[in-house]
Amino acid sequence: MIHECLIVGGGLAGLTAGIRCAEAGLKVAVVSGGESALTFASGSIDVLGSIPGQPVVRRPFDAIDCLAELSPGHPYAKIGREKVFQSLGWFHGQMAEVGLELGLASDCRENQWRITAAGSLRPTWLSQPATKAMPWECFHGDGACLQKVVFVNITGFLDFMPELAMCGLKQHPSFRSVAVEHFNINLPLEHGHGATADTMRAPQLASAMGDRDMDILARVLSERVQDAELVVMPACFDPDLGCNRLQKLRQRTGLNIIDIATLPPSVHGLRLHKALRNRFRALGGFLIPGTEVRHGTVDGDRVMSVSTGEDLLSADHFILASGSFFSKGLQSVKESMSDPCSVQEPVFNLDLHSWADQPKDFSSHQFLAPEGQNFVRSGVALNQSGQPMVAGKGLHNLHVSGAVLGGYDPVQECSGGGVAISTGWQAAENVICQVKGQQV
Ligand SMILES: Cc1cc2nc3c(=O)[nH]c(=O)nc-3n(C[C@H](O)[C@H](O)[C@H](O)COP(=O)(O)OP(=O)(O)OC[C@H]3O[C@@H](n4cnc5c(N)ncnc54)[C@H](O)[C@@H]3O)c2cc1C
């Protein structure tokens, strides 16, 4: 079967592009090699939380114009703020179609706060339902809207560290006068087949918990927490879409309980990935998992096919959404210890942002350097028409989206999810436009 569009990479960007193509009626396939960044992510969608030299961003879409002035090569600068907003709104609706109701602030153009497992506060735009991110006013400035927060862990579970989260939270000016406490709850783990929580990751813990465990949680929480406005627990409740054990626990205890992403694998990230795959398939998209594309064949300004080593996959249009270093969409190459690092895009050998090859800037020895790590900004460069290039020549039927793109720093900016979704959507719109244009 020859697809109208073939997408390389089945993470947030690739599946977003696939959903939009399938929704528009295109024959579309996604080929994906392995785990995506969603397995490690919080499952909340950050659009834009920080711009160098500016206060933390409250209205991410409004801030895109300023960002575009400072960084004209930024993926958002090429799409424009209204289309970024449109694409994110569309994404919110698509996830709701498969039962994942992501939370928005009451003003849908504003960020909310989410608490991380390290106790820091991150601005985010869409939150997982169980996380129930806090409104902006709550933690902005010196006074928090809370008097007391309690962290609760399952005894033995090692991938959530309440002490670490408490220390982190107390560093925030809004939390200096807030009482923060923690305790553990012992659970029998009804479906754990005798295994204990210290041998489990969050998704296994979620599967191991049964009704008896939920009864114990409800009883102990009701007994021990009466005066806290917020109870923070590890995200280990609802691995499946439509599962709402945390919601029931809130109802039974009357407590404001949130769950936050633990060390990976992230239950919230996996849920989001599942929702994306479900939506893509429901719209008729064809998913080819566990398959890595090794090489693309280019003839003039067109990609003709991609090879998996065993099969040659042809299509009229291609979208590359292979992620960053993390997912092998980009590779750093070092010939010898004394040589500088250089960066490559391994499938098509696409041109990259020129400064990505500058050895002295590749990385900083300070892990959390205030100016960020330059290699994070490495990635595919686009020409004025938004096309990727090989040796300076634009490719007409290849579009690029997500973390394989260069020119932005998802970590510093808190923009990873928003860039993946908006560039995935834009890549699909470009393909749809070309396909429909050909049909006219
Ligand atoms: C640890 C971590 C935490 C994060 N937390 C957040 C967060 O809380 N909020 C937020 O908004 N963003 C977060 N991000 C950023 C965000 O998750 C990513 O920017 C976004 O998911 C990237 O999506 P992507 O589809 O471009 O790439 P990826 O998710 O990396 O997906 C790329 C996919 O392509 C596949 N692939 C690669 N090469 C090939 C090939 N040759 N053939 C076939 N398949 C291939 C990979 O196996 C992978 O499945 C986080 C990122 C990380 C790493």
Side-chain angles (χ1 to χ4, degrees):
M1 183 179 190
I2 296 200
H3 295 280
E4 284 169 301
C5 182
L6 188 97
I7 300 170
V8 179
L12 184 56
L15 285 167
T16 297
I19 291 168
R20 180 66 196 106
C21 285
E23 188 192 40
L26 267 56
K27 285 188 212 116
V28 54
V30 170
V31 194
S32 200
E35 295 290 339
S36 80
L38 287 176
T39 308
F40 303 82
S42 72
S44 296
I45 301 295
D46 305 343
V47 172
L48 183 61
S50 173
I51 298 180
Q54 306 267 336
V56 60
V57 173
R58 177 170 184 164
R59 298 181 67 82
F61 302 101
D62 296 355
I64 285 176
D65 288 346
C66 171
L67 180 73
E69 249 174 60
L70 287 170
S71 319
H74 195 287
Y76 283 157
K78 293 183 187 293
I79 299 175
R81 72 168 175 180
E82 282 316 307
K83 281 193 174 170
V84 173
F85 182 61
Q86 187 186 345
S87 63
L88 268 291
W90 166 87
F91 177 85
H92 183 246
Q94 292 298 314
M95 293 301 92
E97 290 289 335
V98 280
L100 185 60
E101 294 283 352
L102 293 163
L104 281 163
S106 52
D107 175 344
C108 70
R109 283 187 171 253
E110 279 196 2
N111 275 331
Q112 329 165 60
W113 294 109
R114 73 177 168 86
I115 301 176
T116 71
S120 58
L121 294 172
R122 299 265 295 182
T124 194
W125 187 65
L126 281 180
S127 64
Q128 288 270 334
T131 303
K132 276 214 310 191
M134 317 289 154
W136 193 261
E137 301 75 31
C138 205
F139 300 134
H140 201 55
D142 290 338
C145 57
L146 310 168
Q147 307 283 315
K148 185 171 172 185
V149 179
V150 177
F151 285 80
V152 179
N153 196 13
I154 311 302
T155 304
F157 181 55
L158 300 173
D159 286 354
F160 179 63
M161 288 155 269
E163 294 90 342
L164 177 76
M166 284 165 58
C167 282
L169 213 53
K170 288 298 273 180
Q171 316 259 325
H172 197 278
S174 304
F175 275 88
R176 286 206 184 114
S177 56
V178 177
V180 184
E181 293 175 3
H182 83 96
F183 65 87
N184 295 334
I185 299 183
N186 241 322
L187 293 181
L189 299 177
E190 199 178 349
H191 305 307
H193 307 290
T196 46
D198 57 349
T199 63
M200 295 180 188
R201 307 250 93 114
Q204 290 151 349
L205 186 56
S207 311
M209 281 200 267
D211 291 346
R212 248 181 79 212
D213 297 291
M214 297 312 293
D215 289 344
I216 294 170
L217 280 174
R219 181 175 51 75
V220 177
L221 285 169
S222 303
E223 281 167 12
R224 293 197 57 177
V225 185
Q226 279 107 25
D227 51 350
E229 293 97 341
L230 185 65
V231 178
V232 184
M233 296 193 68
C236 60
F237 291 101
D238 297 320
D240 293 318
L241 296 164
C243 173
N244 55 4
R245 290 199 292 198
L246 187 67
Q247 182 58 25
K248 285 191 188 138
L249 194 61
R250 283 184 192 136
Q251 284 161 358
R252 289 174 75 178
T253 58
L255 294 168
N256 181 24
I257 307 169
I258 62 168
D259 69 352
I260 60 174
T262 63
L263 287 177
S266 151
V267 167
H268 289 162
L270 293 175
R271 271 159 61 93
L272 185 53
H273 205 193
K274 189 178 278 184
L276 286 159
R277 289 194 307 264
N278 287 0
R279 185 64 182 147
F280 178 60
R281 286 188 171 124
L283 289 167
F286 187 57
L287 191 57
I288 311 171
T291 305
E292 195 168 314
V293 166
R294 301 261 175 86
H295 175 69
T297 304
V298 174
D299 185 9
D301 68 351
R302 292 187 71 79
V303 173
M304 306 308 291
S305 60
V306 292
S307 162
T308 64
E310 287 172 1
D311 293 314
L312 211 56
L313 305 170
S314 303
D316 300 328
H317 301 269
F318 294 83
I319 295 176
L320 182 70
S322 49
S324 184
F325 298 94
F326 201 74
S327 300
K328 297 198 287 188
L330 297 173
Q331 289 177 351
S332 70
V333 184
K334 203 167 164 55
E335 299 295 338
S336 73
M337 283 308 284
S338 55
D339 280 339
C341 271
S342 65
V343 181
Q344 279 179 0
E345 183 288 301
V347 176
F348 298 101
N349 198 21
L350 295 174
D351 295 353
L352 304 181
H353 275 263
S354 55
W355 41 260
D357 292 323
Q358 289 171 17
K360 66 179 165 39
D361 292 328
F362 188 76
S363 66
S364 161
H365 288 294
Q366 195 184 343
F367 177 58
L368 292 173
E371 67 284 4
Q373 296 280 0
N374 258 351
F375 71 88
V376 176
R377 294 182 156 267
S378 310
V380 172
L382 304 178
N383 66 15
Q384 292 292 349
S385 315
Q387 296 168 335
M389 298 161 281
V390 174
K393 196 164 177 196
L395 296 173
H396 186 64
N397 67 337
L398 177 67
H399 309 269
V400 183
S401 66
V404 70
L405 282 167
Y408 76 110
D409 184 335
V411 183
Q412 289 279 303
E413 295 165 1
C414 302
S415 64
V419 168
I421 291 165
S422 57
T423 57
W425 178 87
Q426 184 63 62
E429 289 294 325
N430 293 345
V431 172
I432 294 161
C433 199
Q434 287 180 349
V435 171
K436 305 267 165 166
Q438 282 160 15
Q439 282 170 0
V440 171

